[in-house]
């Protein structure tokens, strides 16, 4: 049975490894996009202007209320149609634009991550002590200095557990892109099952690979939390 | 209006799908909810070695995608059909609804157990001591003091978990269970009309929003001493204590 | 100074995205499913192979263009064409009126029929709605077979699967009583594979043009008339010069273009 997983032409080991690489690439590419959207959403929700507040709250509520699979289909089918319409309007004679499924996956998963992390970051920003910000202002710090030197390190510490959970969910959600034909680990597993007719072995192997990635992430996150909380006295 | 047309034509199918989604979610959450208290107590009281297999199960359920778990149960059981037939379990695994439900129950139990464990740890030790001091047996104290308070603490997190289960139910369509997502994909593959996805999104949002309202209402009913009308009136200064 | 740096960085990031690229002119992308042996499937080395794939590459050779293969799940194969992920689809797609509303088809490159498949000892001999009431019937979703079973057997318990492989798996393990599939892949499955040995073709082939359509064609976007004409011309060429027969005989014992016994062409 182990020869099923060997590298080379007869075994599926190299295909699964390639799939894992795509999975990790997808997750790592989505992280900055999702975090950026999360910060934007948190900024909108915390803003004093009503329309921005509605925009931020609307975005996080809708994204958190929809199944990720549905979001993925909407982005995959809808974004392609929208981009083509845009391209046609911009340049009616020119050739059509191409949207890779990887980018569709990054956008969809990034939107989901942004919606959830927006709420986590909002909670973190709200937990900041206003006295510290006043202190920064009183010694003449500019707003962006206050943000980088005072707000951000503390927000990082407060938000890390929540963001860590979201990262692990992101790793698992990448399995959904197999449904839109991106060659990630889940999809390569399905192909292997289709050829070898051994579903139990391969799906169990896929589960274990995801499991190892998640456990490794949990260890790394625990280490990061320890470092972020260094010097803080616990109640 | 074209956007409405698809709803007018396909609303029975979408309704069927929505009902199936609710059936899967509520049944899964209920069964997991029945299993969670005893497992949470076990998790708190039992020794480290006894806990190890359980902690392994929770780590697996939370560390692997639900999609992979469903494929494992559905197609994996198919591969072992002769053995399952021998022990009489094939009739259960033959039905895709059962396989999907099993995957959801296993997943939700793991999460609900951890949430309830957090709730149990939040019950002040003083309350349990007080219960013992007035002569309650261990079981009675559990029933009348510990568990109600633990549920009250865990209530919002449990609500979140049920909503996540409802969203995860969308995956049942990959093992031929026709929930709302499955019906939507079927309609899209026939008509290629993108608006069916928008309608599905609207229906999902309605389902989750209604559930959140019901859950919040239940929370207020269960903790009148925190959220009740009299308490609110007291806070507003309308009624004297 | 810092602001300029941020602006430059932002511009560089946007340019570096490379997410959207314009099309190259003399390269075509061929879309197929990859889960439908013997027409299009993955071998153990992970390459796309099969009758459809080889015909497609032969057509590209005759049109003197370079073709790139793109695999796409069946459910999204037509939306993928419309969204420009590839330029034409060769994936054993039946030509039907409903599909013609979304895409244009070339001339058929082979004829097809559907068939019922059941386990060898199933005892199913009648194929009417009453006889099959309550039976569990499966097909791949989004196919004409799925349309057929939903129209012809509304009282049966119908199951639809994302890929043909999964239908086969469930028929082999007994979850399904019956499945309706494309005749040639089903013949290939029951005669040439280990797991297909459980089952056999039953009943008469289904040739109702409402479901079977006018044969199996290559789908192109409705505005790509030039491509369609070029493909038709190339198809005629490979029929004439024997390339088609060579590929056909590699996979089948009969001439799938006419569905008759293979004869000297």
């Amino acid at each position: 049975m182990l020869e099923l997983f060997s590298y080379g032409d007869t075994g599926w080991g190299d295909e699964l490894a390639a799939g894992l690489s795509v999975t990790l690439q997808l997750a790592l590419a989505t992280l900055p996009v999702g975090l950026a959207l999360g910060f934007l959403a948190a900024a909108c929700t915390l803003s004093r202007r009503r329309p921005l507040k509605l925009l931020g709250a609307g975005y996080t509520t809708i994204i958190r209320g929809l199944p990720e699979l549905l979001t993925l289909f909407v982005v995959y089918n809808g974004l392609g149609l929208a981009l083509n319409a845009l391209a046609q309007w911009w340049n009616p004679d020119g050739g059509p634009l191409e949207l890779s499924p990887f980018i569709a996956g990054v956008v969809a998963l990034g939107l989901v991550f942004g919606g959830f992390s927006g709420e986590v970051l909002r909670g973190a920003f709200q937990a900041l002590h206003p006295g510290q910000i006043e202190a920064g202002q009183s010694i003449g710090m500019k707003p962006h200095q206050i943000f980088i030197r005072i707000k951000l390190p503390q927000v990082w510490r407060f938000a890390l557990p929540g963001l860590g959970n979201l990262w692990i969910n992101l790793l698992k959600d990448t399995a959904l892109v197999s449904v839109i034909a991106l060659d990630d680990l889940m999809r390569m597993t399905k192909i292997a099952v289709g050829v070898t007719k051994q579903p139990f072995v391969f799906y169990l192997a896929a589960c274990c690979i995801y499991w190892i990635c998640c456990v490794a992430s949990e260890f790394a996150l625990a280490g990061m939390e320890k470092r972020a909380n260094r010097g803080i006295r616990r109640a | 209006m074209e956007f409405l047309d698809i709803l007018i034509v396909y609303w029975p199918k979408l309704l069927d799908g929505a009902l199936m989604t609710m059936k899967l979610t509520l049944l899964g959450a209920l069964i997991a909810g029945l299993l969670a208290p005893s497992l949470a107590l076990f998790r708190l009281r039992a020794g480290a070695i006894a806990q190890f297999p359980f902690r392994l199960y929770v780590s697996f359920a939370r560390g692997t995608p639900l999609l992979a778990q469903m494929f494992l149960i559905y197609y994996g059981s198919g591969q072992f059909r002769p053995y399952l037939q021998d022990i009489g379990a094939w009739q259960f695994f033959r039905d895709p609804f059962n396989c999907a439900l099993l995957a959801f129950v296993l997943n939700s139990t793991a999460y609900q157990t951890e949430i309830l464990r957090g709730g149990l740890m939040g019950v002040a030790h003083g309350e349990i001591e007080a219960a013992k001091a007035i002569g309650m047996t261990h079981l009675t104290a559990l029933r009348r003091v510990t568990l109600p308070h633990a549920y009250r603490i865990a209530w919002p997190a449990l609500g979140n978990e049920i909503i996540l289960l409802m969203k995860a139910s969308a995956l049942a369509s990959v093992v031929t269970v026709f929930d709302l997502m499955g019906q939507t994909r079927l309609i899209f593959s026939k008509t290629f009309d993108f608006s069916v996805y928008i309608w599905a999104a609207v229906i999902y949002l309605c389902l989750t929003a209604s559930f959140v309202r019901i859950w919040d209402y239940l929370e207020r009913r269960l903790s009148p001493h925190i959220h009740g009308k009299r308490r609110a009136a007291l806070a507003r200064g309308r009624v004297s204590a | 100074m810092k602001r300029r740096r941020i602006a430059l960085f932002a511009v560089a990031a946007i340019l570096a995205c490379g997410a959207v690229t314009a099309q190259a002119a003399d390269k075509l992308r061929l879309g197929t499913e990859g889960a439908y042996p013997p027409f299009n499937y993955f071998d153990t080395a992970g390459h796309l192979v099969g009758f459809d794939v080889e015909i497609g590459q032969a057509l590209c050779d005759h049109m003197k263009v370079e073709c790139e293969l793109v695999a796409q799940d069946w459910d999204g194969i037509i939306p993928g064409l419309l969204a420009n992920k590839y330029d034409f689809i060769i994936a054993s797609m039946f030509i039907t009126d409903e599909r013609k509303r979304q895409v244009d088809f070339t001339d058929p490159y082979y004829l097809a029929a559907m068939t019922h498949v059941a386990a060898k000892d199933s005892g199913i001999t009648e194929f009417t709605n009453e006889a099959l009431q309550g039976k569990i019937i499966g097909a791949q979703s989004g196919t004409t077979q799925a349309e057929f079973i939903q129209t012809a057997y509304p009282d049966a318990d119908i199951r639809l699967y994302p890929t043909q492989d999964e239908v086969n798996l469930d028929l082999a393990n007994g979850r399904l009583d019956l499945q309706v599939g494309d005749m040639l892949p089903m013949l290939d499955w029951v005669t040439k594979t280990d797991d297909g040995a459980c089952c056999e073709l039953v009943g008469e082939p289904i040739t109702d043009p409402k479901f079977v359509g006018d044969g199996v064609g290559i789908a192109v976007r409705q505005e790509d008339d030039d491509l369609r004409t070029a493909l038709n011309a190339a198809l005629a060429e490979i029929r004439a010069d024997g390339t088609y027969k060579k590929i056909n005989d590699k996979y089948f014992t009969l001439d799938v273009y006419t569905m008759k016994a293979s004869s000297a062409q």
Side-chain angles (χ1 to χ4, degrees):
Chain A
M1 190 180 60
L2 273 178
E3 67 271 8
L4 280 171
F5 292 103
S6 61
Y7 275 71
D9 274 356
T10 49
W12 290 92
D14 46 342
E15 276 84 9
L16 290 182
L20 179 61
S21 145
V22 171
T23 293
L24 291 173
Q25 280 178 50
L26 185 64
L28 288 168
T30 307
L31 190 59
V33 174
L35 273 177
L37 280 172
F39 272 105
L40 266 172
C44 285
T45 325
L46 288 169
S47 138
R48 268 168 300 203
R49 294 188 214 150
R50 195 109 203 283
L52 278 181
K53 231 190 170 92
L54 277 170
L55 185 69
Y59 165 58
T60 54
T61 312
I62 291 179
I63 284 285
R64 290 185 312 149
L66 295 178
E68 286 83 2
L69 195 60
L70 183 57
T71 311
L72 199 60
F73 276 118
V74 167
V75 168
Y76 188 63
N77 290 315
L79 200 63
L81 286 172
L83 270 178
N84 270 316
L86 204 70
Q88 283 296 97
W89 169 78
W90 187 260
N91 183 7
D93 297 325
L97 285 178
E98 179 188 336
L99 181 71
S100 84
F102 186 84
I103 298 297
V106 168
V107 170
L109 290 174
L111 280 172
V112 172
F113 192 91
F116 280 97
S117 63
E119 286 298 290
V120 171
L121 287 168
R122 179 172 70 89
F125 274 107
Q126 284 177 324
L128 286 172
H129 201 284
Q132 300 197 351
I133 301 166
E134 282 176 16
Q137 286 168 335
S138 71
I139 60 169
M141 276 189 174
K142 301 226 178 51
H144 68 90
Q145 282 177 317
I146 294 182
F147 184 78
I148 294 181
R149 296 191 197 181
I150 299 182
K151 287 191 187 173
L152 213 49
Q154 296 192 58
V155 162
W156 174 247
R157 186 165 64 85
F158 295 144
L160 196 51
L163 290 177
N165 270 336
L166 291 177
W167 162 256
I168 295 194
N169 283 336
L170 175 62
L171 272 178
K172 297 192 289 174
D173 282 345
T174 56
L176 297 175
V177 300
S178 67
V179 177
I180 59 166
L182 187 58
D183 285 340
D184 74 317
L185 177 60
M186 196 73 224
R187 187 167 166 76
M188 297 314 291
T189 311
K190 275 183 94 166
I191 293 175
V193 168
V195 173
T196 61
K197 314 289 187 233
Q198 303 257 30
F200 189 76
V201 168
F202 279 100
Y203 285 128
L204 190 62
C207 278
C208 289
I209 296 176
Y210 278 109
W211 193 17
I212 293 172
C213 290
C214 287
V215 170
S217 297
E218 279 176 25
F219 268 111
L221 283 165
M224 282 164 79
E225 275 183 46
K226 235 182 180 172
R227 190 173 146 75
N229 280 299
R230 66 190 186 285
I232 307 286
R233 246 187 320 172
R234 294 287 214 172
Chain B
M1 219 201 316
E2 223 183 67
F3 191 55
L4 273 181
D5 280 346
I6 208 161
L7 188 67
I8 296 173
V9 172
Y10 286 105
W11 73 265
K13 289 217 180 289
L14 288 174
L15 185 65
D16 272 341
L19 286 171
M20 177 61 85
T21 292
M22 290 204 289
K23 195 168 151 195
L24 270 172
T25 308
L26 291 173
L27 211 54
L30 194 65
I31 299 177
L34 289 171
L35 293 170
S38 17
L39 287 171
L41 284 167
F42 169 76
R43 183 81 169 76
L44 272 180
R45 306 283 160 84
I49 298 184
Q51 278 189 34
F52 182 70
F54 183 73
R55 292 184 75 166
L56 204 66
Y57 149 65
V58 169
S59 176
F60 187 82
R62 302 204 306 180
T64 55
L66 188 54
L67 185 65
Q69 292 170 16
M70 284 219 298
F71 279 135
L72 187 63
I73 294 178
Y74 187 72
Y75 289 111
S77 62
Q79 191 180 350
F80 292 122
R81 199 231 329 198
Y83 304 108
L84 288 174
Q85 267 182 324
D86 283 342
I87 62 174
W90 176 242
Q91 277 305 105
F92 174 82
F93 282 100
R94 192 171 187 236
D95 187 346
F97 180 82
N98 293 343
C99 291
L101 190 63
L102 182 63
F104 292 147
V105 165
L106 285 174
N107 196 292
S108 193
T109 306
Y111 279 101
Q112 282 197 34
T113 306
E114 289 300 296
I115 291 173
L116 202 53
R117 182 174 71 93
L120 282 169
M121 294 203 301
V123 176
H125 194 66
E127 291 184 28
I128 306 171
E129 278 183 4
K132 286 202 188 139
I134 61 171
M136 281 193 190
T137 64
H138 190 60
L139 269 170
T140 318
L142 258 181
R143 186 170 62 87
R144 300 187 72 177
V145 177
T146 320
L147 280 177
H149 199 173
Y151 269 102
R152 215 175 278 132
I153 297 174
W155 200 254
L158 277 175
N160 265 343
E161 162 56 24
I162 298 180
I163 292 189
L164 288 173
L165 191 62
M166 189 185 299
K167 300 199 307 167
S169 71
L171 292 173
S173 55
V174 297
V175 291
T176 76
V177 177
F178 276 107
D179 71 319
L180 180 56
M181 191 73 215
Q183 294 283 11
T184 309
R185 288 176 73 179
L186 189 62
I187 297 170
F188 184 72
S189 70
K190 275 198 215 165
T191 61
F192 296 114
D193 189 346
F194 184 71
S195 54
V196 69
Y197 282 124
I198 307 291
W199 284 115
V202 167
I203 297 175
Y204 268 113
L205 285 173
C206 288
L207 287 175
T208 45
S210 331
F211 178 78
V212 167
R213 289 194 76 119
I214 296 176
W215 202 253
D216 282 349
Y217 170 74
L218 285 174
E219 180 175 358
R220 284 199 299 274
R221 282 297 299 262
L222 281 173
S223 38
H225 60 289
I226 305 175
H227 299 290
K229 285 204 177 120
R230 185 175 159 76
R231 176 83 177 203
L234 268 172
R236 283 199 294 269
R238 297 263 182 92
V239 176
S240 61
Chain C
M1 175 57 181
K2 226 179 179 180
R3 254 176 235 186
R4 239 195 302 164
R5 259 201 280 160
I6 294 174
L8 261 157
F9 178 69
V11 169
I14 293 171
L15 285 175
C17 247
V20 284
T21 53
Q23 260 244 246
D26 56 353
K27 197 160 183 245
L28 288 178
R29 293 155 303 166
L30 189 167
T32 192
E33 186 192 3
Y36 206 59
F39 289 98
N40 52 78
Y41 60 101
F42 285 94
D43 63 9
T44 47
H47 304 305
L48 268 172
V49 294
F51 179 79
D52 286 339
V53 174
E54 290 199 42
I55 293 278
Q57 277 166 333
L59 291 174
C60 287
D61 291 335
H62 277 256
M63 293 194 297
K64 310 235 186 328
V65 289
E66 201 188 309
C67 272
E68 190 190 316
L69 295 171
V70 178
Q72 167 67 50
D73 275 356
W74 185 253
D75 271 341
I77 204 163
I78 289 187
L81 179 70
L82 300 175
N84 239 289
K85 296 187 183 356
Y86 27 83
D87 302 299
F88 59 98
I89 300 175
I90 303 190
S92 294
M93 185 178 283
F94 286 21
I95 302 171
T96 64
D97 288 330
E98 194 160 304
R99 288 180 180 148
K100 279 196 198 153
R101 283 194 265 153
Q102 302 280 323
V103 294
D104 275 347
F105 284 98
T106 61
D107 301 329
Y109 66 98
Y110 73 90
L111 291 183
M114 298 194 279
T115 180
H116 296 87
V117 184
K120 281 198 170 125
D121 50 358
S122 69
I124 298 180
T125 47
E126 266 194 67
F127 299 98
T128 59
N129 190 23
E130 295 74 35
L132 293 175
Q133 190 178 32
K135 291 265 185 232
I136 309 178
I137 310 185
Q140 187 183 4
S141 81
T143 56
T144 46
Q145 295 89 288
E147 275 297 315
F148 173 74
I149 58 177
Q150 287 176 315
T151 322
Y153 309 125
D155 292 332
D157 182 357
I158 293 180
R159 306 266 172 88
L160 298 179
Y161 296 77
T163 63
Q164 184 61 48
D165 269 332
E166 287 162 332
V167 193
N168 295 347
L169 261 176
D170 265 5
L171 183 63
N173 68 33
R175 278 209 179 91
L176 295 173
D177 295 318
L178 189 62
Q179 71 149 308
V180 173
D182 197 355
M183 188 152 99
L184 291 167
M186 289 294 99
L187 202 58
D188 187 81
W189 182 56
V190 302
T191 51
K192 294 202 191 132
T193 61
D194 293 330
D195 52 306
C198 67
C199 306
E200 56 182 5
L201 272 60
V202 291
E204 294 296 316
I206 305 157
T207 49
D208 183 351
K210 192 165 73 146
F211 300 105
V212 166
D214 307 320
V216 174
I218 303 173
V220 298
R221 286 180 288 269
Q222 284 171 336
E223 60 267 19
D224 285 345
D225 268 337
D226 299 336
L227 181 58
R228 192 162 69 90
T229 326
L231 283 167
N232 278 334
L235 189 59
E237 275 175 41
I238 62 171
R239 276 296 291 172
D241 72 1
T243 320
Y244 188 100
K245 183 167 180 359
K246 208 162 51 143
I247 301 175
N248 181 109
D249 290 343
K250 199 164 141 189
Y251 292 94
F252 309 111
T253 51
L254 50 97
D255 180 7
V256 295
Y257 195 74
T258 54
M259 285 299 258
K260 298 201 172 66
S262 218
S263 51
Q265 203 184 319

